[in-house]
Amino acid sequence: MIQWIYFFDLCGTAVFALSGALAAGKHRMDPFGVIVLASVTAIGGGSIRDTLMGATPVFWISDPNYIIVILATVIACLILVRKPHKLPSFTLPVADAFGLALFTVIGAQKALVLGHSGMIAVVMGLITGVGGGIIRDILCRQVPMVLRTEIYATASIIGGICYTLSLLSGMDSMTSMFLAMTSTLVIRLSAIRWHLSLPAFDLKTKRH
Amino acid sequence: MIQWIYFFDLCGTAVFALSGALAAGKHRMDPFGVIVLASVTAIGGGSIRDTLMGATPVFWISDPNYIIVILATVIACLILVRKPHKLPSFTLPVADAFGLALFTVIGAQKALVLGHSGMIAVVMGLITGVGGGIIRDILCRQVPMVLRTEIYATASIIGGICYTLSLLSGMDSMTSMFLAMTSTLVIRLSAIRWHLSLPAFDLKTKRH
Amino acid sequence: MIQWIYFFDLCGTAVFALSGALAAGKHRMDPFGVIVLASVTAIGGGSIRDTLMGATPVFWISDPNYIIVILATVIACLILVRKPHKLPSFTLPVADAFGLALFTVIGAQKALVLGHSGMIAVVMGLITGVGGGIIRDILCRQVPMVLRTEIYATASIIGGICYTLSLLSGMDSMTSMFLAMTSTLVIRLSAIRWHLSLPAFDLKTKRH
């Protein structure tokens, strides 16, 4: 069980590192800049989570595998991805959705393991899931995805609530993870596919 | 006394959450995005303060009331604030000034309680007061208020110095808080009302 | 030896504070805003490093000299620097390169002292070296230097690797510091002087 979660965690790290590296490629960064952006995207959210909870040194300091996975992903990306305009346009958003689902569950789980409440678990899932992407977007001077009305934070929060409620209702850890990740993925992928949004809180447009 | 400070702290949290929610409304965010921006604005500065001082888990993890206050503020804001262009234009800056005054004192106080020097107390008051607003402005891609020449950081630093000096000169905690908050509020509200600024450090305009 | 490192650390702090203050001057900030930007640039990277490693309270909380050096630098800058367009245009980039070299070595060293691996030392050198500058650039709404293809992160990473390898190969601490700082400086100054860049990872330009 523990091995599975660990394996998922490294997969999520690779996926987010790829999303950071691809964003770096859009800004014509040099190889070491690509490493920086990929790292920040992949381990930024979890680092914020761990420092807020006082779980320091943060996870990737005591376990070198995270940085090794990031370096391997960046090197593979630099060598293999030469013609991204030939990739289907949904590649990056879909990879990002998988990373969001994985990291939400892992963040919520870590909070529960450390003895925090279900509400804090949802918040920590959200921070782990969206933190890295927000830092990536700020560094690239884009409006963070989470700010746009595309059901991004929403998918993470609902996934976190699913996970916490499933565990509380007595389901085993693996089923809870599966349910939570599926709900995040279905919501986020549906939003991407059919351009769904929740009704926006709109103070800009004047109503007459 | 302790209850009063706690009550003020929750008020400041609500005020900053409102300022974050209103900023989110200007960027047409969905309800969960509004929650994220309101939370970051309300508890961002205090979270930075606590992690720098090693006072982890940070304050809102061990006390659920902060997140409950933020959620209640956001829900009230989503329901009640439908025509903000009918609100007087000074509403947000004035609410923000109250939050700045409250959080400056609370941040400085926490540093002193943890045994740090008066200088560090002023710095921690500043971080608590301006940290959340800076993150809010960065996420909305605006130049942070603190960067503009409108006596913002200045008001917080002077409030922090007032608080520390009042305590050192033997005044009781309540009087010191009142003095410090009043000085921050008077300075900041005057700056808003009469568009005051300190002389800018200006390296852009060439002098002949 | 310890005294030398401490002296270098304060020098690096002054240099980065100056770079932050000059950036503030380009955005016409008021004096207290200048202090905020100078502080964030000078101690931001080291603060991130310390919180990630759990070395809290962070370094400048327990030692007031860092904030005193920053305040002195800002005051000197406000008084003396009135006509920066008369300064040679390379002043800020070169000062920044010295700060990068100093902070890279100091960050790597702190990680090794705390018992972390060579890989983590390189990462912590990078965070200490580029962290403050990235926050400065984000606050000024500029694309962070580290994102541009000018061998910035690269110089820090290579300096960190030099330092760690030199120590591992049995050199004494002072020689290792000297070698690492020289390599960072030579790489970064060459890049500035001859506008060198590594080949960019470019996903924007379509290749036909």
Side-chain angles (χ1 to χ4, degrees):
Chain A
M1 182 58 216
I2 294 293
Q3 285 82 5
W4 273 100
I5 295 169
Y6 185 59
F7 174 75
F8 280 145
D9 204 359
L10 292 178
C11 288
T13 304
V15 161
F16 268 123
L18 180 66
S19 116
L22 291 177
K26 286 191 188 159
H27 288 77
R28 312 193 64 235
M29 294 173 54
D30 76 10
F32 288 95
V34 177
I35 292 176
V36 170
L37 202 65
S39 306
V40 159
T41 311
I43 56 183
S47 301
I48 297 175
R49 173 200 65 209
D50 284 359
T51 50
L52 290 176
M53 296 198 297
T56 50
V58 298
F59 66 104
W60 52 267
I61 289 184
S62 34
D63 181 348
N65 286 343
Y66 291 94
I67 291 179
I68 290 168
V69 163
I70 292 168
L71 289 178
T73 307
V74 169
I75 291 168
C77 181
L78 288 176
I79 293 171
L80 299 175
V81 184
R82 307 298 331 174
K83 295 184 178 165
H85 56 289
K86 295 207 170 163
L87 286 175
S89 66
F90 57 76
T91 315
L92 187 50
V94 169
D96 196 86
F98 270 90
L100 180 69
L102 281 159
F103 275 22
T104 296
V105 168
I106 286 161
Q109 198 211 24
K110 182 148 189 181
L112 293 173
V113 166
L114 288 173
H116 297 298
S117 68
M119 190 172 77
I120 295 300
V122 175
V123 174
M124 289 302 157
L126 177 66
I127 290 174
T128 315
V130 308
I134 288 182
I135 303 177
R136 176 199 61 209
D137 292 348
I138 290 175
L139 287 176
C140 293
R141 295 183 77 207
Q142 295 200 303
V143 181
M145 253 193 216
V146 82
L147 282 186
R148 294 181 226 145
T149 51
E150 274 178 7
I151 313 194
Y152 195 87
T154 310
S156 173
I157 291 174
I158 292 177
I161 293 175
C162 266
Y163 180 68
T164 310
L165 289 185
S166 306
L167 280 181
L168 287 180
S169 68
M171 288 188 201
D172 68 293
S173 185
M174 206 66 191
T175 318
S176 306
M177 277 187 75
F178 180 77
L179 275 178
M181 283 184 52
T182 307
S183 60
T184 303
L185 264 177
V186 167
I187 293 170
R188 180 71 191 126
L189 292 178
S190 309
I192 293 171
R193 176 66 188 82
W194 292 290
H195 301 284
L196 304 179
S197 344
L198 294 182
F201 177 49
D202 184 356
L203 299 181
K204 208 167 188 182
T205 325
K206 296 204 173 178
R207 292 180 198 77
H208 300 284
Chain B
M1 183 57 217
I2 294 293
Q3 285 83 4
W4 272 100
I5 295 169
Y6 185 59
F7 175 73
F8 279 145
D9 203 1
L10 292 178
C11 288
T13 303
V15 160
F16 267 124
L18 180 66
S19 116
L22 292 177
K26 287 192 187 157
H27 288 77
R28 313 192 64 233
M29 295 172 55
D30 76 10
F32 289 94
V34 178
I35 292 175
V36 170
L37 202 65
S39 306
V40 159
T41 311
I43 56 183
S47 302
I48 297 174
R49 174 200 65 209
D50 284 359
T51 50
L52 290 175
M53 297 198 298
T56 50
V58 298
F59 66 103
W60 52 267
I61 290 183
S62 34
D63 181 349
N65 287 342
Y66 291 94
I67 290 179
I68 290 168
V69 164
I70 292 168
L71 290 178
T73 307
V74 169
I75 291 168
C77 181
L78 289 176
I79 294 171
L80 299 175
V81 183
R82 306 299 331 175
K83 294 183 179 165
H85 56 289
K86 296 210 171 163
L87 285 176
S89 67
F90 56 77
T91 314
L92 186 50
V94 169
D96 196 86
F98 270 90
L100 179 69
L102 282 158
F103 275 22
T104 296
V105 167
I106 286 162
Q109 199 212 22
K110 182 149 190 180
L112 293 174
V113 166
L114 288 173
H116 297 299
S117 68
M119 191 172 77
I120 295 300
V122 174
V123 174
M124 289 303 158
L126 178 66
I127 290 174
T128 315
V130 308
I134 287 182
I135 302 176
R136 176 198 61 210
D137 292 347
I138 290 175
L139 287 176
C140 294
R141 294 184 75 207
Q142 296 200 301
V143 180
M145 254 195 217
V146 81
L147 281 186
R148 294 181 227 145
T149 51
E150 274 178 8
I151 313 195
Y152 195 88
T154 310
S156 173
I157 291 174
I158 292 177
I161 292 175
C162 267
Y163 181 67
T164 311
L165 289 185
S166 305
L167 280 181
L168 287 180
S169 68
M171 288 187 200
D172 68 293
S173 183
M174 206 67 191
T175 318
S176 305
M177 278 187 75
F178 181 77
L179 274 178
M181 284 184 52
T182 307
S183 60
T184 302
L185 264 178
V186 167
I187 294 169
R188 179 73 191 124
L189 292 178
S190 310
I192 293 172
R193 176 65 187 83
W194 291 290
H195 301 284
L196 304 179
S197 345
L198 294 182
F201 178 49
D202 183 357
L203 298 181
K204 210 170 187 181
T205 325
K206 295 204 173 179
R207 290 181 199 79
H208 298 286
Chain C
M1 183 57 218
I2 294 293
Q3 284 82 6
W4 272 100
I5 295 169
Y6 185 58
F7 174 73
F8 279 145
D9 204 1
L10 292 178
C11 288
T13 304
V15 160
F16 267 123
L18 180 67
S19 115
L22 292 178
K26 286 193 187 156
H27 289 78
R28 313 193 63 234
M29 294 173 53
D30 76 8
F32 288 94
V34 177
I35 292 176
V36 170
L37 202 65
S39 306
V40 158
T41 311
I43 57 183
S47 302
I48 297 174
R49 174 201 64 209
D50 283 359
T51 49
L52 290 176
M53 296 198 297
T56 49
V58 298
F59 66 104
W60 52 267
I61 289 183
S62 34
D63 181 349
N65 286 342
Y66 291 94
I67 291 179
I68 291 168
V69 163
I70 292 168
L71 290 178
T73 307
V74 169
I75 291 168
C77 181
L78 289 176
I79 294 171
L80 299 175
V81 184
R82 308 294 337 172
K83 294 183 178 163
H85 56 289
K86 296 210 170 162
L87 286 175
S89 68
F90 56 76
T91 314
L92 186 50
V94 169
D96 196 86
F98 270 90
L100 180 69
L102 282 159
F103 275 24
T104 296
V105 168
I106 285 161
Q109 198 211 25
K110 181 148 190 181
L112 293 174
V113 165
L114 288 173
H116 297 298
S117 67
M119 190 172 76
I120 296 299
V122 174
V123 174
M124 289 302 159
L126 177 65
I127 290 175
T128 315
V130 308
I134 287 182
I135 303 176
R136 176 198 62 210
D137 292 349
I138 290 175
L139 286 175
C140 294
R141 295 183 76 209
Q142 295 200 304
V143 180
M145 252 193 219
V146 81
L147 281 186
R148 294 181 226 145
T149 51
E150 273 177 9
I151 313 195
Y152 195 88
T154 310
S156 172
I157 291 174
I158 292 176
I161 292 175
C162 267
Y163 181 67
T164 310
L165 289 185
S166 305
L167 281 180
L168 286 180
S169 67
M171 289 186 200
D172 68 294
S173 184
M174 205 67 191
T175 318
S176 305
M177 279 187 74
F178 181 77
L179 273 178
M181 284 183 53
T182 307
S183 61
T184 303
L185 265 177
V186 167
I187 294 170
R188 180 72 190 124
L189 292 178
S190 309
I192 294 171
R193 176 66 188 83
W194 292 290
H195 302 284
L196 304 179
S197 345
L198 293 183
F201 178 49
D202 184 357
L203 298 181
K204 209 168 187 181
T205 324
K206 295 205 173 179
R207 291 181 199 76
H208 298 286

Short mmCIF file of all heavy atoms in Angstrom, two decimals, chain C residues 40-72:
data_model
loop_
_atom_site.label_atom_id
_atom_site.label_comp_id
_atom_site.label_asym_id
_atom_site.label_seq_id
_atom_site.Cartn_x
_atom_site.Cartn_y
_atom_site.Cartn_z
N VAL C 40 13.61 41.98 1.09
CA VAL C 40 13.15 40.78 0.42
C VAL C 40 14.23 40.22 -0.51
O VAL C 40 14.48 39.02 -0.56
CB VAL C 40 11.85 41.09 -0.36
CG1 VAL C 40 11.62 40.09 -1.45
CG2 VAL C 40 10.68 41.14 0.60
N THR C 41 14.90 41.11 -1.23
CA THR C 41 15.96 40.68 -2.13
C THR C 41 17.14 40.10 -1.36
O THR C 41 17.72 39.09 -1.76
CB THR C 41 16.44 41.86 -2.99
OG1 THR C 41 15.31 42.52 -3.56
CG2 THR C 41 17.36 41.40 -4.10
N ALA C 42 17.48 40.73 -0.24
CA ALA C 42 18.69 40.35 0.48
C ALA C 42 18.52 39.08 1.32
O ALA C 42 19.42 38.26 1.41
CB ALA C 42 19.15 41.51 1.37
N ILE C 43 17.36 38.93 1.96
CA ILE C 43 17.20 37.80 2.87
C ILE C 43 16.09 36.84 2.44
O ILE C 43 15.82 35.86 3.15
CB ILE C 43 16.97 38.28 4.33
CG1 ILE C 43 15.75 39.19 4.42
CG2 ILE C 43 18.21 38.98 4.86
CD1 ILE C 43 15.52 39.76 5.81
N GLY C 44 15.48 37.08 1.28
CA GLY C 44 14.39 36.21 0.82
C GLY C 44 14.87 34.80 0.51
O GLY C 44 14.26 33.81 0.94
N GLY C 45 15.98 34.68 -0.24
CA GLY C 45 16.48 33.37 -0.62
C GLY C 45 16.89 32.55 0.59
O GLY C 45 16.53 31.37 0.72
N GLY C 46 17.63 33.17 1.51
CA GLY C 46 18.07 32.46 2.70
C GLY C 46 16.90 32.07 3.61
O GLY C 46 16.94 31.04 4.28
N SER C 47 15.85 32.90 3.60
CA SER C 47 14.67 32.58 4.42
C SER C 47 13.96 31.36 3.87
O SER C 47 13.54 30.48 4.63
CB SER C 47 13.71 33.77 4.45
OG SER C 47 14.35 34.92 4.96
N ILE C 48 13.83 31.28 2.54
CA ILE C 48 13.21 30.09 1.94
C ILE C 48 14.05 28.86 2.27
O ILE C 48 13.53 27.82 2.67
CB ILE C 48 13.07 30.27 0.41
CG1 ILE C 48 12.14 31.44 0.08
CG2 ILE C 48 12.56 28.99 -0.23
CD1 ILE C 48 12.08 31.77 -1.40
N ARG C 49 15.38 28.99 2.10
CA ARG C 49 16.29 27.87 2.41
C ARG C 49 16.09 27.38 3.84
O ARG C 49 15.91 26.17 4.07
CB ARG C 49 17.74 28.35 2.23
CG ARG C 49 18.80 27.35 2.67
CD ARG C 49 20.13 28.06 2.94
NE ARG C 49 20.00 28.99 4.06
CZ ARG C 49 20.71 30.11 4.21
NH1 ARG C 49 21.59 30.46 3.30
NH2 ARG C 49 20.53 30.89 5.26
N ASP C 50 16.09 28.30 4.80
CA ASP C 50 16.00 27.90 6.21
C ASP C 50 14.64 27.28 6.54
O ASP C 50 14.58 26.29 7.28
CB ASP C 50 16.25 29.11 7.12
CG ASP C 50 17.73 29.46 7.21
OD1 ASP C 50 18.53 28.75 6.58
OD2 ASP C 50 18.08 30.41 7.90
N THR C 51 13.54 27.84 5.98
CA THR C 51 12.23 27.27 6.30
C THR C 51 12.09 25.88 5.68
O THR C 51 11.53 24.98 6.31
CB THR C 51 11.07 28.16 5.84
OG1 THR C 51 11.27 28.54 4.48
CG2 THR C 51 10.98 29.42 6.68
N LEU C 52 12.62 25.67 4.46
CA LEU C 52 12.52 24.35 3.83
C LEU C 52 13.29 23.31 4.64
O LEU C 52 12.86 22.16 4.76
CB LEU C 52 13.07 24.39 2.40
CG LEU C 52 12.23 25.15 1.37
CD1 LEU C 52 12.94 25.20 0.02
CD2 LEU C 52 10.85 24.51 1.20
N MET C 53 14.45 23.72 5.20
CA MET C 53 15.26 22.77 5.96
C MET C 53 14.81 22.67 7.42
O MET C 53 15.33 21.86 8.18
CB MET C 53 16.73 23.15 5.89
CG MET C 53 17.31 23.07 4.47
SD MET C 53 19.12 23.02 4.42
CE MET C 53 19.54 24.59 5.14
N GLY C 54 13.85 23.52 7.82
CA GLY C 54 13.40 23.51 9.20
C GLY C 54 14.38 24.16 10.15
O GLY C 54 14.32 23.95 11.36
N ALA C 55 15.29 24.99 9.61
CA ALA C 55 16.26 25.69 10.46
C ALA C 55 15.65 27.01 10.93
O ALA C 55 16.11 28.09 10.58
CB ALA C 55 17.56 25.93 9.70
N THR C 56 14.59 26.90 11.73
CA THR C 56 13.86 28.08 12.18
C THR C 56 14.06 28.30 13.67
O THR C 56 14.30 27.32 14.39
CB THR C 56 12.35 27.93 11.90
OG1 THR C 56 11.92 26.65 12.38
CG2 THR C 56 12.07 28.04 10.42
N PRO C 57 13.92 29.54 14.18
CA PRO C 57 13.72 30.79 13.45
C PRO C 57 14.83 31.02 12.41
O PRO C 57 15.98 30.67 12.68
CB PRO C 57 13.80 31.86 14.54
CG PRO C 57 13.63 31.16 15.84
CD PRO C 57 14.04 29.76 15.63
N VAL C 58 14.46 31.60 11.27
CA VAL C 58 15.43 31.80 10.19
C VAL C 58 16.56 32.73 10.65
O VAL C 58 16.44 33.46 11.63
CB VAL C 58 14.75 32.37 8.93
CG1 VAL C 58 13.72 31.39 8.40
CG2 VAL C 58 14.11 33.71 9.20
N PHE C 59 17.66 32.67 9.88
CA PHE C 59 18.93 33.27 10.31
C PHE C 59 18.84 34.73 10.78
O PHE C 59 19.47 35.11 11.75
CB PHE C 59 19.98 33.12 9.21
CG PHE C 59 19.69 33.91 7.95
CD1 PHE C 59 20.37 35.08 7.66
CD2 PHE C 59 18.74 33.48 7.04
CE1 PHE C 59 20.11 35.81 6.51
CE2 PHE C 59 18.47 34.19 5.89
CZ PHE C 59 19.15 35.36 5.63
N TRP C 60 18.06 35.56 10.07
CA TRP C 60 18.09 36.99 10.39
C TRP C 60 17.23 37.32 11.62
O TRP C 60 17.29 38.44 12.12
CB TRP C 60 17.64 37.83 9.20
CG TRP C 60 16.34 37.42 8.58
CD1 TRP C 60 16.17 36.56 7.53
CD2 TRP C 60 15.03 37.83 8.96
NE1 TRP C 60 14.83 36.42 7.24
CE2 TRP C 60 14.11 37.20 8.10
CE3 TRP C 60 14.53 38.69 9.95
CZ2 TRP C 60 12.73 37.38 8.20
CZ3 TRP C 60 13.16 38.87 10.04
CH2 TRP C 60 12.27 38.22 9.18
N ILE C 61 16.45 36.36 12.12
CA ILE C 61 15.67 36.63 13.33
C ILE C 61 16.56 36.57 14.56
O ILE C 61 16.48 37.41 15.45
CB ILE C 61 14.50 35.61 13.45
CG1 ILE C 61 13.45 35.90 12.39
CG2 ILE C 61 13.89 35.66 14.85
CD1 ILE C 61 12.22 35.02 12.44
N SER C 62 17.48 35.60 14.58
CA SER C 62 18.33 35.46 15.75
C SER C 62 19.57 36.36 15.69
O SER C 62 20.25 36.54 16.70
CB SER C 62 18.75 33.99 15.94
OG SER C 62 18.90 33.36 14.70
N ASP C 63 19.87 36.94 14.53
CA ASP C 63 21.04 37.81 14.41
C ASP C 63 20.63 39.15 13.79
O ASP C 63 20.42 39.26 12.58
CB ASP C 63 22.09 37.13 13.52
CG ASP C 63 23.34 37.98 13.37
OD1 ASP C 63 23.31 39.16 13.78
OD2 ASP C 63 24.34 37.46 12.87
N PRO C 64 20.52 40.22 14.62
CA PRO C 64 20.01 41.51 14.11
C PRO C 64 20.92 42.17 13.08
O PRO C 64 20.49 43.08 12.39
CB PRO C 64 19.92 42.37 15.39
CG PRO C 64 20.83 41.74 16.37
CD PRO C 64 20.85 40.27 16.05
N ASN C 65 22.19 41.70 12.96
CA ASN C 65 23.12 42.39 12.07
C ASN C 65 22.64 42.43 10.62
O ASN C 65 22.93 43.38 9.89
CB ASN C 65 24.50 41.73 12.14
CG ASN C 65 25.20 42.07 13.44
OD1 ASN C 65 24.82 43.02 14.12
ND2 ASN C 65 26.21 41.28 13.79
N TYR C 66 21.92 41.37 10.18
CA TYR C 66 21.48 41.34 8.79
C TYR C 66 20.55 42.51 8.49
O TYR C 66 20.70 43.22 7.49
CB TYR C 66 20.81 40.01 8.48
CG TYR C 66 21.78 38.86 8.46
CD1 TYR C 66 21.99 38.09 9.59
CD2 TYR C 66 22.53 38.58 7.32
CE1 TYR C 66 22.90 37.05 9.59
CE2 TYR C 66 23.44 37.54 7.30
CZ TYR C 66 23.62 36.78 8.45
OH TYR C 66 24.54 35.77 8.45
N ILE C 67 19.57 42.74 9.39
CA ILE C 67 18.62 43.83 9.15
C ILE C 67 19.32 45.17 9.29
O ILE C 67 19.05 46.11 8.54
CB ILE C 67 17.41 43.70 10.11
CG1 ILE C 67 16.59 42.48 9.69
CG2 ILE C 67 16.54 44.94 10.05
CD1 ILE C 67 15.39 42.21 10.54
N ILE C 68 20.29 45.27 10.22
CA ILE C 68 21.04 46.52 10.37
C ILE C 68 21.83 46.81 9.09
O ILE C 68 21.84 47.95 8.60
CB ILE C 68 21.96 46.43 11.61
CG1 ILE C 68 21.10 46.43 12.88
CG2 ILE C 68 22.96 47.58 11.62
CD1 ILE C 68 21.85 46.07 14.14
N VAL C 69 22.48 45.78 8.52
CA VAL C 69 23.22 45.97 7.27
C VAL C 69 22.28 46.45 6.16
O VAL C 69 22.61 47.35 5.38
CB VAL C 69 23.93 44.66 6.85
CG1 VAL C 69 24.35 44.69 5.38
CG2 VAL C 69 25.14 44.41 7.74
N ILE C 70 21.08 45.84 6.09
CA ILE C 70 20.12 46.24 5.05
C ILE C 70 19.70 47.69 5.24
O ILE C 70 19.69 48.48 4.28
CB ILE C 70 18.88 45.32 5.07
CG1 ILE C 70 19.27 43.91 4.63
CG2 ILE C 70 17.78 45.87 4.17
CD1 ILE C 70 18.20 42.87 4.87
N LEU C 71 19.36 48.06 6.49
CA LEU C 71 18.93 49.44 6.75
C LEU C 71 20.05 50.43 6.40
O LEU C 71 19.80 51.45 5.76
CB LEU C 71 18.52 49.61 8.22
CG LEU C 71 17.22 48.91 8.62
CD1 LEU C 71 16.95 49.10 10.12
CD2 LEU C 71 16.05 49.45 7.81
N ALA C 72 21.29 50.10 6.79
CA ALA C 72 22.42 50.98 6.49
C ALA C 72 22.60 51.12 4.98
O ALA C 72 22.83 52.23 4.46
CB ALA C 72 23.69 50.45 7.15
#
